[in-house]
Amino acid sequence: MSTTMLSPSETTSRLLHILTSRGQSDYIGEPISQLEHSLQCASLASLNGADNETVIAALLHDIGQFLPAEEVRQIAGSVKDMRASKQSSTGKSQSITGDDSGSVGRVGHETIGGQYLLSLDFSPKVAALVESHVAAKRYLCATESGYSEALSDASKTSLEFQGGSMSEDEVGQWKRGEWSEEMARLRKWDDGAKIIGAVVPGVDAYESMIRKHLEERAATV
Ligand code: FE
């Protein structure tokens, strides 16, 4: 994609602009905006001592919901091509038509977001944490008593479309995967990032963290 030609600071500005300009709509079924939700999630990660890659993933975990429809279609197209030869192991996705919802066909917003960040040269860990945040809910429903009951009504409803709790086989596969603990922690911050009126740092607080991450990545290639 043409976005790979951007410098680390241009990519950072572009992402933060997408968050602030397109994140004003309600977080699906919740009484706060997408932007507030993303900022609260990043703040929880930061307050709980997460490393920078995890904080970045927390901030950008729903970026697949924010992207312009044309970019979503482009990414979904390449994901479908990849899946023609390899079945995804991250769980089932919502079936939604190609529009601004961040999902196309059976490619969910979490996959769109993870693949988008990879295309911008974010690390595999950042992309994996973003891509797994829906599967992490399915994992926690299967393994933690009381977790599914505590989900918000909107989250309970979306769980049905996302495939419900993981099966025993899926749980085993999940636990063997890299970063599985951080994935579950991020999911809990995601669930908790729905506080009306919470005062948390704004997008500017993450500008240098994201830019440095991309600069380090560029320097190692
Ligand atoms: Fe979220």
Side-chain angles (χ1 to χ4, degrees):
M1 287 198 297
S2 58
T3 44
T4 55
M5 303 303 288
L6 299 175
S7 71
S9 84
E10 286 169 337
T11 299
T12 306
S13 305
R14 179 184 163 83
L15 276 170
L16 298 185
H17 174 72
I18 289 175
L19 273 183
T20 48
S21 62
R22 296 181 64 91
Q24 303 301 332
S25 54
D26 284 353
Y27 181 54
I28 309 166
E30 309 286 354
I32 61 168
S33 73
Q34 290 268 11
L35 176 60
E36 289 174 298
H37 170 67
S38 300
L39 291 171
Q40 286 185 28
C41 193
S43 174
L44 285 170
S46 184
L47 290 171
N48 282 281
D51 63 24
N52 287 352
E53 286 173 296
T54 307
V55 173
I56 292 170
L59 179 71
L60 301 176
H61 75 278
D62 279 331
I63 193 71
Q65 301 274 22
F66 296 73
L67 298 179
E70 183 43 45
E71 277 188 78
V72 170
R73 268 190 288 271
Q74 212 175 345
I75 297 161
S78 6
V79 172
K80 281 177 183 168
D81 290 346
M82 274 163 41
R83 285 183 178 175
S85 55
K86 185 185 174 191
Q87 188 72 34
S88 169
S89 62
T90 53
K92 299 170 187 173
S93 298
Q94 291 162 271
S95 179
I96 303 175
T97 53
D99 54 19
D100 264 0
S101 66
S103 301
V104 175
R106 294 199 64 79
V107 182
H109 80 276
E110 70 282 10
T111 303
I112 300 287
Q115 294 301 313
Y116 177 68
L117 294 176
L118 271 184
S119 78
L120 296 178
D121 200 30
F122 280 83
S123 70
K125 179 175 176 178
V126 172
L129 289 176
V130 168
E131 185 154 5
S132 65
H133 80 273
V134 168
K137 177 168 75 169
R138 300 183 56 231
Y139 166 76
L140 287 167
C141 284
T143 57
E144 217 165 273
S145 72
Y147 176 81
S148 58
E149 291 78 6
L151 288 174
S152 68
D153 288 343
S155 205
K156 280 178 187 157
T157 303
S158 60
L159 177 67
E160 291 173 33
F161 295 102
Q162 292 157 348
S165 296
M166 277 188 178
S167 66
E168 223 170 285
D169 280 355
E170 287 175 317
V171 167
Q173 194 180 348
W174 172 274
K175 283 181 174 168
R176 288 190 295 276
E178 208 171 356
W179 310 305
S180 56
E181 229 168 87
E182 281 137 305
M183 288 169 178
R185 292 181 80 205
L186 191 146
R187 180 67 224 192
K188 289 184 178 176
W189 298 324
D190 185 6
D191 296 326
K194 300 171 183 176
I195 310 293
I196 301 167
V199 179
V200 294
V203 289
D204 291 349
Y206 304 97
E207 195 275 336
S208 70
M209 184 188 289
I210 296 173
R211 183 171 38 77
K212 280 179 192 160
H213 172 77
L214 293 171
E215 283 168 355
E216 280 167 20
R217 296 272 308 152
T220 57
V221 173

